[in-house]
Amino acid sequence: MHWIKLFLPKISCRRQHRPLWQFCIQRAFSSHFPNQVTDEGIDQPSSQVEAAARRETLILRLPKGTRDFSPEQMAIREKIFSTIISCFKRHGAVTIDTPVFELKEFLSDNWGEDSKLIYDLKDHGGELLSLRYDLTVPFARYLAMNKITNLKRYHIAKVYRRDQIITTKGRYREFYQCDFDIAGKYDPMIPDAECLKIMHEILSALKIGDFLIRINDRRILDGIFTVCGLSETKVKTVCSTLDKLGKITWKEVKNEMVNEKGVCPEVADHIGEYVQLCGGVPLIEKLVQDPKLSQNKQAMEGLEDMKLLFEYLTLFDILDKISLDLSLARGLDYYSGVIYEAVLLHQDEHLNVGSIAGGGRYDGLVTSFIPNWKKVPCVGVSIGVERIFTVLERNTELMENISATETEVLVAAAQRDFLAERMKLITKLWNAGIKAEMFYKKNPKILKQLHYCEERGIPLVAIVGEEELNNGVVKLRDVPTREETNIPKEKIIEEIKRRLEK
Amino acid sequence: MHWIKLFLPKISCRRQHRPLWQFCIQRAFSSHFPNQVTDEGIDQPSSQVEAAARRETLILRLPKGTRDFSPEQMAIREKIFSTIISCFKRHGAVTIDTPVFELKEFLSDNWGEDSKLIYDLKDHGGELLSLRYDLTVPFARYLAMNKITNLKRYHIAKVYRRDQIITTKGRYREFYQCDFDIAGKYDPMIPDAECLKIMHEILSALKIGDFLIRINDRRILDGIFTVCGLSETKVKTVCSTLDKLGKITWKEVKNEMVNEKGVCPEVADHIGEYVQLCGGVPLIEKLVQDPKLSQNKQAMEGLEDMKLLFEYLTLFDILDKISLDLSLARGLDYYSGVIYEAVLLHQDEHLNVGSIAGGGRYDGLVTSFIPNWKKVPCVGVSIGVERIFTVLERNTELMENISATETEVLVAAAQRDFLAERMKLITKLWNAGIKAEMFYKKNPKILKQLHYCEERGIPLVAIVGEEELNNGVVKLRDVPTREETNIPKEKIIEEIKRRLEK
């Protein structure tokens, strides 16, 4: 059994599901354990020996806020990505790639106060570089630099923020973003509606549970602030308090606005009358009739567009998950119109990962890179894959059934000295596109080979041996039923393909 | 036409095939062009206005040695990756992911002199971090940290080196590596042979031209140096000169060894007698009989293994592309046994990209991370995707036929005021998994819509209009033949799928 365990990545890999601190402790005490190295053979280069000596006192660990992904975790991650990408492609999007670092000057202007979270590279005496903190700013830079006025693109890549780490909520310092954006001047709300349709399609396909998409518009929000008499300098800070509504009560939000942000209580109450409203088309109709709001040009533009957007969302048949929510503010500076985010419903309080997708319209960002050029309005959606991954990883049933390998056939031998025959047979299988493995032993035991297939869920075993060789056949074993059939050598590929199709 | 051009990513994207300096020049002079911004509407946040003002004097560019990938380039890249990944999976490999940066202390010990090429992150007052320069060291760190003794994994990700930039040869500072490695203690040369089989399968499948895989063994090379009387301190520097053999003549190599590296001429001549040898099994037989080499234990171990390897490569049926080449040294410190690399044959001198795949055995690397633990021998292969990409990008026929989008149907209207009907129909198509687009205009012209499909190679157009609506049909147009058929509304999905299957 010991041998099989060593051989099985599945079993070995499980070990890494143990929390990291266990490894650290084990490492820290490892000098107390007897030296297990019993190695014949190859000398190590001397630099490695030195490095090893230096490391004997070190504890192996990762940078804060980063993580490795095991094969099983990667299998889930790839499933999520492939669902998302197939939706993006279904909507005609292409993909681009940009460098992981950019010139600092092109990144730091766009992130306001959060610029302190940017990872800078060491100044090696040349350029000042920073790791990208999102994919939207590089997208705008790409459009501006290449003078592209129209593009529907997706981009899935890692971004970096020196932010607070909350691993239970899927918040790391290195994480994937997964963006879809439409750049170009079009008729109002048509691309915006498609972004919401995409969000709806992806969250439905991922089967992570019931969700709600909250929508608002920066212009409506600005209009509300104006008619309520909030001073312009306080807009940003009030937005960040407002964003907590839902997680904390209106009373608490108001307290923070008044006591921490210095908003006068009457203004706060007035704002509260608006931002506690949620709904659909009837709410829009009501707001359009609102005596104060209807006097504000910006708010009215936002409301007119919102009406149109709801029409389009009805045609796209996704209104069931949509709610106009006047408290939605979203953090980023660059939004200029419609904004939205999706949240999971029925989540445990302590497991609440927050929004799992978000986005909006940002019509000024490209211009900020190339002021003397035409305007390139943009709208986009970002899928929160890390949070979705965190939610799915808690699904024990899913985790237990996930298989990291896709091997279809194990080429095995029942007797000694059949390595050459195994190699010849597996070559045929590989060349025919069949996913096949064999043991890297000259004389593996047949029971261990069969056990390996059952452990790993490999459905077929192709067995060669003395008798099979003499009769010009290969023994094909069905792992679940343990049924064995002799197949003529020249028909083995055909037969394996037939069985795999079933 | 102007409108269509604006709408077409394909056309807009082509612009970025112009060299970067053209954009830079254009940007530098852009203040001389009339201001093209004629924008109604949304105000920009003030931070963006400030950023824009500051940027008016800046030239948009990328960090040295990095590049963006356009949708067309990404389409080729994805084709390459998918060919490679399907081969890795065919051989039963799983994938892992590791962070793009690691603690500096775990990276810099393993790269010898080249450590100066590592990108460090700025010290933000916490950990000292560096960007990974390969995927092998993080793989070994992953195995050591998680105490994994057996794993067959692939990893495709970006790595970073502050190296000399030669864009014509595909050498950048940010580039993809594409690695397959087998960790674990097995019978000699079986996993090594599989790595070579994989290299052979991938290079054949990519159809980049005829190639040759050169093989050697560090132990044979060390044996040669020893029996020729080269002092141990000179081994590394002589290796780097030796690696040039093939690009420059033996006479030039010898000159460099003697005049620059201080090797005595007789030693150099003696080394030359060995390292100019190439061949197969007969060469191995000859070396085993060599009076001097046969006295060297290391060399004999290497030769015995080489004999076994050639047996296995014969069984895997890939001997046609293999050559034992005693001049092959490979740069990296950590190799301890078999080494190999693939080169393209029949390349123009000035287009020569060098090796397009390489790898070898490194049995000491994992131990260097965790000295008091058992040994984890490893062997692997790295596919040079950037160089392969550079070669394929020169294939104009391939570049012209590549399509970045996969759209199957354009949902169009022949008359005004049919946006709602288009939206309803496209929703049906998307929900049925059909890749569909529509124009983001309320009233697009039918000719422009048809033209768009012809330009982009979209095979079908689904047209709605007054007449179709009244008759409960959709007009389905075949773009290549321009044939149009009315299809009952309830059968449209079925009919589209039937046509796409053909």
Side-chain angles (χ1 to χ4, degrees):
Chain A
M1 281 306 293
H2 175 66
W3 189 84
I4 287 200
K5 277 204 178 164
L6 272 188
F7 200 87
L8 292 179
K10 198 175 184 183
I11 291 178
S12 335
C13 292
R14 277 215 189 114
R15 302 182 66 164
Q16 78 215 47
H17 287 157
R18 278 159 45 195
L20 192 60
W21 60 263
Q22 283 193 16
F23 289 113
C24 294
I25 287 178
Q26 195 168 342
R27 276 289 298 135
F29 288 99
S30 64
S31 53
H32 297 281
F33 295 123
N35 189 332
Q36 297 173 37
V37 184
T38 55
D39 271 300
E40 62 289 299
I42 301 129
D43 292 332
Q44 276 177 254
S46 63
S47 65
Q48 277 177 19
V49 175
E50 284 160 31
R54 220 168 318 145
R55 281 178 190 146
E56 244 174 303
T57 53
L58 289 178
I59 293 171
L60 279 178
R61 65 177 183 86
L62 290 176
K64 277 181 206 149
T66 68
R67 54 180 164 170
D68 291 325
F69 286 94
S70 72
E72 288 73 18
Q73 288 173 315
M74 285 303 283
I76 299 178
R77 188 156 278 255
E78 285 186 352
K79 263 194 170 174
I80 297 174
F81 284 156
S82 100
T83 302
I84 294 173
I85 290 172
S86 80
C87 175
F88 290 160
K89 286 191 171 174
R90 194 158 61 237
H91 287 261
V94 295
T95 189
I96 66 163
D97 195 19
T98 65
V100 81
F101 46 69
E102 301 247 354
L103 293 169
K104 187 174 171 58
E105 58 198 341
F106 296 130
L107 287 184
S108 53
D109 284 334
N110 280 298
W111 214 20
E113 279 180 19
D114 281 341
S115 294
K116 64 180 185 299
L117 302 182
I118 293 178
Y119 278 98
D120 292 330
L121 268 68
K122 192 170 147 184
D123 181 2
H124 289 280
E127 304 162 308
L128 292 180
L129 307 173
S130 301
L131 299 183
R132 63 182 168 211
Y133 59 84
D134 74 1
L135 301 175
T136 312
V137 172
F139 175 55
R141 192 269 308 144
Y142 174 83
L143 295 175
M145 200 170 102
N146 298 297
K147 299 255 175 101
I148 295 168
T149 52
N150 297 67
L151 186 63
K152 179 155 63 173
R153 83 87 181 80
Y154 69 90
H155 192 184
I156 299 183
K158 284 175 172 179
V159 302
Y160 301 86
R161 296 183 189 174
R162 295 176 48 253
D163 210 344
Q164 209 198 337
I165 305 157
I166 317 172
T167 53
T168 51
K169 298 193 175 201
R171 294 191 195 185
Y172 291 85
R173 289 183 168 184
E174 174 183 61
F175 57 98
Y176 269 99
Q177 277 201 340
C178 201
D179 286 13
F180 170 96
D181 295 83
I182 301 171
K185 221 167 195 170
Y186 302 113
D187 281 333
M189 296 298 115
I190 308 180
D192 313 57
E194 185 167 5
C195 287
L196 288 160
K197 168 77 173 137
I198 283 174
M199 199 189 245
H200 187 280
E201 279 182 28
I202 289 174
L203 297 179
S204 305
L206 288 174
K207 298 194 176 69
I208 40 166
D210 203 10
F211 61 90
L212 179 75
I213 301 175
R214 304 160 66 210
I215 310 193
N216 199 3
D217 192 298
R218 276 282 168 94
R219 293 166 296 174
I220 301 177
L221 208 54
D222 284 347
I224 291 171
F225 291 150
T226 306
V227 304
C228 293
L230 185 74
S231 93
E232 215 181 304
T233 55
K234 293 209 164 122
V235 166
K236 252 192 213 175
T237 184
V238 165
C239 274
S240 77
T241 302
L242 209 54
D243 245 5
K244 300 180 188 167
L245 195 58
K247 286 171 219 149
I248 59 177
T249 63
W250 166 249
K251 209 176 147 194
E252 290 165 307
V253 167
K254 186 191 157 185
N255 266 343
E256 192 178 311
M257 279 168 67
V258 174
N259 300 325
E260 291 177 33
K261 308 291 170 87
V263 177
C264 112
E266 294 72 38
V267 172
D269 281 332
H270 202 163
I271 291 174
E273 283 166 30
Y274 287 107
V275 297
Q276 289 180 85
L277 300 172
C278 303
V281 179
L283 175 59
I284 302 172
E285 302 292 359
K286 193 179 132 194
L287 291 169
V288 171
Q289 308 293 329
D290 184 273
K292 282 181 198 156
L293 219 49
S294 58
Q295 300 308 307
N296 183 284
K297 187 172 164 264
Q298 251 198 312
M300 284 306 282
E301 278 176 16
L303 286 167
E304 282 308 318
D305 276 349
M306 191 59 74
K307 219 166 119 182
L308 202 55
L309 182 62
F310 269 75
E311 254 176 56
Y312 296 159
L313 299 179
T314 311
L315 292 165
F316 282 158
D317 197 21
I318 56 168
L319 214 54
D320 58 320
K321 305 282 188 199
I322 306 275
S323 166
L324 170 61
D325 184 332
L326 294 184
S327 72
L328 180 71
R330 291 195 57 78
L332 287 167
D333 268 17
Y334 49 63
Y335 289 123
S336 58
V338 175
I339 47 179
Y340 33 79
E341 69 177 36
V343 288
L344 282 178
L345 299 171
H346 326 302
Q347 281 252 296
D348 283 352
E349 185 52 42
H350 63 288
L351 293 179
N352 197 334
V353 292
S355 72
I356 48 164
R361 178 161 280 284
Y362 50 102
D363 287 348
L365 192 58
V366 178
T367 305
S368 80
F369 280 104
I370 182 165
N372 291 324
W373 193 51
K374 59 184 74 135
K375 194 156 182 168
V376 182
C378 297
V379 63
V381 55
S382 185
I383 308 296
V385 275
E386 301 291 346
R387 297 178 184 187
I388 289 168
F389 180 66
T390 303
V391 173
L392 290 178
E393 231 187 350
R394 281 187 206 127
N395 182 336
T396 43
E397 200 188 335
L398 177 83
M399 286 305 290
E400 272 165 21
N401 288 319
I402 202 89
S403 172
T405 51
E406 298 173 10
T407 304
E408 297 162 330
V409 183
L410 183 80
V411 174
Q415 290 141 307
R416 293 182 67 81
D417 298 326
F418 271 84
L419 176 61
E421 288 304 319
R422 281 191 289 142
M423 282 185 156
K424 277 196 260 176
L425 179 57
I426 203 168
T427 302
K428 270 198 201 173
L429 267 51
W430 283 333
N431 292 351
I434 294 165
K435 292 173 188 150
E437 282 186 80
M438 60 173 223
F439 275 29
Y440 299 134
K441 282 257 164 193
K442 280 171 84 170
N443 297 307
K445 300 232 162 72
I446 184 68
L447 273 179
K448 284 179 181 165
Q449 295 172 81
L450 298 180
H451 188 120
Y452 178 75
C453 292
E454 293 187 359
E455 277 278 337
R456 297 277 290 257
I458 298 172
L460 294 172
V461 195
I463 304 168
V464 286
E466 190 73 40
E467 206 188 306
E468 288 82 12
L469 196 63
N470 291 338
N471 296 329
V473 298
V474 173
K475 198 187 285 306
L476 197 59
R477 181 185 169 103
D478 185 81
V479 176
T481 65
R482 299 185 177 183
E483 234 172 79
E484 296 184 341
T485 328
N486 285 332
I487 310 291
K489 234 168 83 176
E490 65 282 4
K491 296 223 163 142
I492 185 71
I493 299 292
E494 196 186 315
E495 176 63 18
I496 288 173
K497 286 195 169 172
R498 200 185 60 79
R499 296 214 192 173
L500 292 173
E501 261 171 32
K502 279 199 286 192
Chain B
M1 279 309 292
H2 175 67
W3 190 83
I4 286 200
K5 277 204 179 164
L6 273 185
F7 200 88
L8 291 180
K10 199 173 184 184
I11 291 178
S12 334
C13 293
R14 279 215 189 115
R15 303 183 64 162
Q16 75 214 52
H17 288 157
R18 278 159 43 194
L20 192 62
W21 60 264
Q22 283 194 16
F23 289 112
C24 295
I25 286 177
Q26 194 167 344
R27 274 292 295 136
F29 289 99
S30 65
S31 53
H32 296 282
F33 297 122
N35 189 333
Q36 297 174 36
V37 184
T38 55
D39 271 299
E40 60 289 301
I42 301 131
D43 292 331
Q44 276 178 254
S46 62
S47 65
Q48 278 178 17
V49 175
E50 285 160 31
R54 221 168 318 145
R55 282 180 189 144
E56 246 175 302
T57 54
L58 290 179
I59 293 171
L60 279 177
R61 64 178 184 85
L62 289 176
K64 276 179 206 149
T66 67
R67 54 181 164 169
D68 291 325
F69 286 94
S70 72
E72 287 74 18
Q73 289 174 313
M74 285 302 284
I76 299 178
R77 187 155 278 255
E78 285 186 352
K79 261 193 170 175
I80 297 174
F81 284 156
S82 101
T83 302
I84 294 172
I85 290 172
S86 81
C87 175
F88 291 159
K89 287 192 170 172
R90 194 157 61 237
H91 287 260
V94 296
T95 188
I96 66 163
D97 195 20
T98 65
V100 81
F101 46 71
E102 301 247 355
L103 293 169
K104 185 174 172 59
E105 57 198 343
F106 296 130
L107 287 184
S108 52
D109 284 333
N110 281 298
W111 214 19
E113 279 180 18
D114 281 341
S115 294
K116 64 179 186 297
L117 303 183
I118 293 177
Y119 278 98
D120 293 330
L121 267 68
K122 191 170 149 185
D123 182 3
H124 288 282
E127 305 161 307
L128 292 181
L129 307 173
S130 302
L131 299 184
R132 62 182 169 211
Y133 59 84
D134 74 1
L135 301 175
T136 313
V137 172
F139 175 55
R141 192 268 310 144
Y142 174 83
L143 295 174
M145 198 170 104
N146 297 297
K147 299 257 175 97
I148 295 168
T149 54
N150 298 68
L151 187 61
K152 180 156 63 173
R153 83 89 181 79
Y154 70 89
H155 193 185
I156 298 182
K158 285 176 173 179
V159 303
Y160 301 86
R161 296 182 190 173
R162 294 176 47 254
D163 211 344
Q164 209 198 338
I165 306 157
I166 317 174
T167 52
T168 51
K169 299 194 173 201
R171 294 191 196 187
Y172 291 85
R173 292 183 165 183
E174 174 188 65
F175 57 98
Y176 268 100
Q177 276 201 343
C178 201
D179 286 12
F180 171 95
D181 295 82
I182 300 172
K185 220 168 192 167
Y186 302 113
D187 283 332
M189 295 298 115
I190 310 180
D192 313 58
E194 186 168 3
C195 287
L196 287 160
K197 169 76 174 138
I198 283 173
M199 200 190 244
H200 187 282
E201 279 181 29
I202 288 172
L203 297 180
S204 306
L206 287 174
K207 299 194 176 68
I208 40 167
D210 203 9
F211 61 90
L212 179 74
I213 301 175
R214 304 161 65 211
I215 310 193
N216 199 3
D217 192 297
R218 275 283 167 94
R219 293 167 296 173
I220 302 176
L221 208 54
D222 283 347
I224 291 171
F225 291 148
T226 306
V227 304
C228 294
L230 185 73
S231 95
E232 215 181 304
T233 54
K234 291 207 166 127
V235 167
K236 251 190 214 174
T237 182
V238 165
C239 275
S240 78
T241 302
L242 209 54
D243 244 5
K244 297 179 189 168
L245 195 59
K247 283 173 221 148
I248 59 177
T249 64
W250 166 248
K251 209 176 147 194
E252 289 164 309
V253 167
K254 187 192 156 184
N255 266 343
E256 192 177 312
M257 278 167 69
V258 173
N259 300 324
E260 290 177 32
K261 307 290 170 86
V263 177
C264 111
E266 293 73 37
V267 173
D269 281 333
H270 202 163
I271 291 174
E273 284 165 30
Y274 287 106
V275 298
Q276 289 180 84
L277 299 172
C278 305
V281 179
L283 175 59
I284 302 172
E285 302 292 359
K286 192 179 133 194
L287 291 169
V288 171
Q289 308 292 330
D290 184 274
K292 283 183 195 155
L293 219 49
S294 59
Q295 301 307 308
N296 184 284
K297 189 171 164 264
Q298 252 198 314
M300 284 305 283
E301 279 176 15
L303 286 166
E304 282 308 319
D305 276 350
M306 192 59 75
K307 219 166 118 184
L308 203 56
L309 182 62
F310 268 77
E311 254 177 55
Y312 296 158
L313 299 180
T314 311
L315 292 164
F316 281 159
D317 197 20
I318 57 169
L319 214 54
D320 59 318
K321 305 282 187 199
I322 307 275
S323 166
L324 171 61
D325 185 331
L326 295 183
S327 72
L328 180 70
R330 290 194 59 78
L332 286 167
D333 267 16
Y334 49 62
Y335 288 125
S336 57
V338 175
I339 46 177
Y340 33 78
E341 67 178 37
V343 287
L344 281 179
L345 300 170
H346 326 302
Q347 280 252 296
D348 284 351
E349 184 53 41
H350 64 288
L351 293 180
N352 196 336
V353 293
S355 72
I356 48 164
R361 178 162 281 284
Y362 51 101
D363 286 350
L365 191 59
V366 178
T367 306
S368 80
F369 279 104
I370 182 164
N372 292 324
W373 193 52
K374 57 184 74 133
K375 195 154 179 170
V376 182
C378 296
V379 62
V381 53
S382 184
I383 308 296
V385 276
E386 300 291 347
R387 296 177 185 189
I388 289 169
F389 182 66
T390 303
V391 173
L392 290 178
E393 232 188 349
R394 281 186 206 127
N395 182 335
T396 41
E397 199 188 336
L398 177 83
M399 287 306 291
E400 271 166 21
N401 288 320
I402 201 87
S403 171
T405 50
E406 300 173 9
T407 304
E408 298 162 329
V409 183
L410 183 80
V411 174
Q415 290 141 306
R416 293 182 67 82
D417 298 327
F418 270 83
L419 176 60
E421 288 305 319
R422 281 191 288 142
M423 283 185 156
K424 277 196 260 178
L425 178 58
I426 203 167
T427 301
K428 269 199 202 174
L429 267 51
W430 284 333
N431 292 350
I434 294 164
K435 292 173 187 148
E437 284 186 78
M438 59 173 225
F439 275 30
Y440 298 135
K441 282 257 165 192
K442 282 171 83 169
N443 296 307
K445 298 232 163 70
I446 184 67
L447 272 179
K448 283 179 180 164
Q449 296 172 84
L450 299 181
H451 188 121
Y452 178 74
C453 292
E454 293 187 359
E455 278 277 339
R456 297 278 290 259
I458 299 172
L460 294 171
V461 195
I463 304 168
V464 286
E466 189 74 40
E467 206 190 306
E468 288 81 15
L469 196 64
N470 290 338
N471 297 328
V473 298
V474 173
K475 197 187 286 308
L476 196 59
R477 180 185 170 105
D478 184 81
V479 176
T481 64
R482 300 186 176 183
E483 232 171 80
E484 296 184 340
T485 329
N486 285 333
I487 311 290
K489 233 167 84 175
E490 64 281 4
K491 296 222 161 144
I492 186 71
I493 299 292
E494 196 186 317
E495 176 64 18
I496 287 173
K497 286 194 169 172
R498 198 185 63 76
R499 296 215 191 171
L500 291 174
E501 263 171 30
K502 280 200 284 191

